[in-house]
Amino acid sequence: MASHARVRAPELVGQGGWINTADNAAPDLSGKIVLLDFWTFCCANCLHVLDELRELEAEFADVLVTVGVHSPKFAHEADHDALIAACERYGVHHPVLDDPDLTTWKAYAVRAWPTLTVVDPAGYVAAQMSGEGHVHGLRSLIAELVAEFDAKGALRRGDSPYVAPEPEPTELRFPGKLIALPGGTYLVSDTSHHAIVELADDAATVLRRFGSGERGFADGAADGARFNEPQGLLLLDDHTALIADTVNHALREIDLASGRVRTVADTRDSVQASPWDLTWDADRVRVIVAAAGIHQLWSYDPASGKFDAWAGTTNEGLVDGPLGEAWFSQPSGLTTAADGRIWIADSESSALRSVEGETVGTVVGQGLFDFGLRDGEAAQALLQHPLGVTALPDGSIAISDTYNGAIRRYNPADGQVSTLITGLKEPSDALVTAEGELLVVESAAHRLTRVKLPEEALRVEATAYRTQRPATEVAPGELELEVVFEPPPGEKMDDRYGPSTFVKVSASPAELLLDGAGGTVELGRTLRLDPEIAEGVLHVSAKAASCDDGEFPACHLHQQDWGIPVRLVEGGAARLPLILRG
């Protein structure tokens, strides 16, 4: 292994304590290889990493302990019970440290979700990396650490300290989305049961299940097919339902007559799209897909099978404009209004967006780090990580304001936002029933709930938050940006077929950057910041490819997007290092 200055791993400290351990006590990690996963449960890219790590955890089960260090972005995520539920929802089968004050995040100098840090059996940091696509390199590094510490007799083998919580039997488990079927029944994505369920007209009695209930990816009969945390649903015709199979990054079809499941499109070999919701375009020709994992909208043509990008650049943020230039931030809910306008719950920016014609606009939302619960004029209203939108008969839009536990309403006629219902447990979708009621998916309550649409809005106490992640203080003027990337053991940079690195930089507001914006192949560059702008966010997107040593090398892509809040102060840092892998 390459020689580096050894850094002692800081202590793991979190005010919320431990989850998934014996008596919720700190686990004994001595003599183990420890993989720290800094995550937050709102983040689709963090969920990608959770899924990527499963095979690694199984392969090195007797020597590797993954520890999730939960570092919340939203106020709701700092709630300990909400984190316990999220660990079950996403199948987190390792110890988790609840760090609501970001104490351990700061101690490890983490700057982005997700970030992985490897600690060797002697308690020293062996590597740190940000983003996705690191499993191959981690496998090589862990194998080296096993050989090194086995030879020293300093590697402790044995079972993981993970202790599974007691399961709670319910018909549905963290349901995600729902649609009405022509016969008066309902189709629901039973997300954590990895299945699709048909419910009777009482919205509670299970009539049929599609999927075996085991996490996986398999077509076939209803009882043998497998899904992986499915979400969005759309009726293509009276007998065919389209499914957004989120963690499989695929679109599946269910023949409602026979129950058979087939895959019609998937992006596993290209991008981790994480399709989260579905709606028709204005002409009911193409299906618009919320590709939450890559911050885009895609389109799917059921007639031809064509499935490709429709709006968004893959950059995460809140930028309006033409379809190909707009930025999204984990779009998770879609609906098409009677006038053909497509409405979007853009969850990570706590925003209500829309597509009208060829243009993306924002109605509610301030950016990636501002959220809350505030009614009134849409331009100043606040949401908190909404996952669903529903077109109401009067032309207004109901918003499943998930982390506020509320149903909110936006009225295009007067530009006002109001609150209709509160006290719900993570509502993620809703529809209007034939009786004119609202049927809400209360995801964290594992049920569908009928509520009457109130004639008058509720009065709620306004709250406003800003993500507590501290801003990085930098000096005005020149700032040296350095993306650190070291290939994993047994790999090297390979430029035979073109540059192996690419870094793109932008800012919010755009005026913050006087110089240095745009994309280049260099990992470092000099940025020039406008001293007249006190604070903002630097957006840095980095990709690096490394290839195996050998005659016929396999190559691996490492990538991360950072949104770095910065504050310009005299005497601030003149250098900004970001670790992609190193």
Side-chain angles (χ1 to χ4, degrees), residues 187 194-198 208-212 222 227 254-256 259:
L187 203 63
H194 312 291
I196 307 300
V197 175
E198 183 181 0
R208 289 192 291 174
R209 286 188 176 273
F210 305 91
S212 68
F227 298 93
I254 297 177
D255 183 323
L256 296 173

Side-chain angles (χ1 to χ4, degrees), residues 32-53:
K32 292 285 192 178
I33 299 167
V34 179
L35 176 58
L36 303 178
D37 177 15
F38 292 87
W39 70 299
T40 184
F41 65 75
C42 69
C43 161
N45 305 97
C46 298
L47 304 184
H48 292 170
V49 169
L50 281 176
D51 199 54
E52 289 175 352
L53 294 180

Side-chain angles (χ1 to χ4, degrees), residues 25-103:
D28 179 10
L29 302 175
S30 60
K32 292 285 192 178
I33 299 167
V34 179
L35 176 58
L36 303 178
D37 177 15
F38 292 87
W39 70 299
T40 184
F41 65 75
C42 69
C43 161
N45 305 97
C46 298
L47 304 184
H48 292 170
V49 169
L50 281 176
D51 199 54
E52 289 175 352
L53 294 180
R54 295 187 204 282
E55 63 180 76
L56 207 63
E57 292 176 283
E59 183 178 347
F60 295 99
D62 65 333
V63 295
L64 174 69
V65 177
T66 300
V67 172
V69 182
H70 189 260
S71 314
K73 172 182 176 180
F74 290 100
H76 177 69
E77 293 176 299
D79 181 272
H80 188 71
D81 290 337
L83 175 57
I84 291 173
C87 289
E88 181 192 349
R89 179 194 293 264
Y90 297 118
V92 180
H93 295 162
H94 51 246
V96 172
L97 176 65
D98 183 5
D99 184 22
D101 298 325
L102 305 186
T103 302

Side-chain angles (χ1 to χ4, degrees), residues 277-293:
D277 204 5
L278 310 166
T279 193
W280 285 108
D281 68 2
D283 300 319
R284 290 185 64 88
V285 173
R286 294 177 299 174
V287 176
I288 304 304
V289 181

Side-chain angles (χ1 to χ4, degrees), residues 169-452:
T170 54
E171 290 284 14
L172 302 176
R173 207 70 190 157
F174 299 104
K177 306 289 185 180
L178 85 160
I179 56 173
L181 295 180
T185 60
Y186 301 100
L187 203 63
V188 183
S189 52
D190 192 5
T191 303
S192 289
H193 282 154
H194 312 291
I196 307 300
V197 175
E198 183 181 0
L199 298 178
D201 58 5
D202 63 2
T205 303
V206 174
L207 300 178
R208 289 192 291 174
R209 286 188 176 273
F210 305 91
S212 68
E214 295 292 324
R215 183 191 297 271
F217 195 173
D219 290 342
D223 59 355
R226 290 190 175 192
F227 298 93
N228 198 342
E229 298 180 23
Q231 288 280 350
L233 311 163
L234 185 70
L235 203 60
L236 297 182
D237 56 47
D238 286 353
H239 306 291
T240 311
L242 186 67
I243 314 299
D245 194 4
T246 304
V247 180
N248 280 328
H249 312 292
L251 300 182
R252 318 284 292 279
E253 270 187 11
I254 297 177
D255 183 323
L256 296 173
S258 68
R260 293 195 66 82
V261 177
R262 73 183 186 108
T263 302
V264 295
D266 76 78
T267 67
R268 290 173 300 158
D269 295 332
S270 54
V271 294
Q272 292 189 307
S274 298
W276 212 280
D277 204 5
L278 310 166
T279 193
W280 285 108
D281 68 2
D283 300 319
R284 290 185 64 88
V285 173
R286 294 177 299 174
V287 176
I288 304 304
V289 181
I294 50 175
H295 315 297
Q296 287 185 306
L297 303 180
W298 280 42
S299 71
Y300 167 67
D301 183 347
S304 68
K306 186 178 181 181
F307 185 40
D308 54 12
W310 184 67
T313 64
T314 75
N315 289 321
E316 183 180 14
L318 191 65
V319 178
D320 295 336
L323 293 178
E325 299 175 15
W327 293 19
F328 294 95
S329 42
Q330 211 169 296
S332 303
L334 299 172
T335 193
T336 304
D339 61 2
R341 194 171 178 182
I342 295 172
W343 292 91
I344 306 140
D346 209 14
S347 61
E348 279 294 279
S349 56
S350 298
L352 176 64
R353 318 277 300 275
S354 70
V355 176
E356 194 167 11
E358 300 291 315
T359 303
V360 177
T362 298
V363 173
V364 179
Q366 309 295 325
L368 286 168
F369 304 109
D370 294 281
F371 56 92
L373 196 162
R374 187 162 63 203
D375 289 337
E377 291 287 340
Q380 58 84 53
L382 293 174
L383 310 169
Q384 187 180 179
H385 197 78
L387 291 179
V389 281
T390 306
L392 298 180
D394 65 357
S396 64
I397 301 298
I399 307 158
S400 295
D401 193 3
T402 307
Y403 286 1
N404 279 326
I407 299 296
R408 314 284 295 283
R409 175 178 178 264
Y410 168 67
N411 185 0
D414 61 11
Q416 295 288 310
V417 173
S418 56
T419 299
L420 299 180
I421 305 156
T422 59
L424 301 171
K425 291 188 174 181
E426 296 190 10
S428 57
D429 198 15
L431 60 75
V432 180
T433 68
E435 298 76 26
E437 296 176 318
L438 205 60
L439 185 59
V440 180
V441 180
E442 270 196 280
S443 188
H446 318 293
R447 68 191 179 204
L448 306 187
T449 301
R450 289 181 186 271
V451 293
K452 289 186 176 181

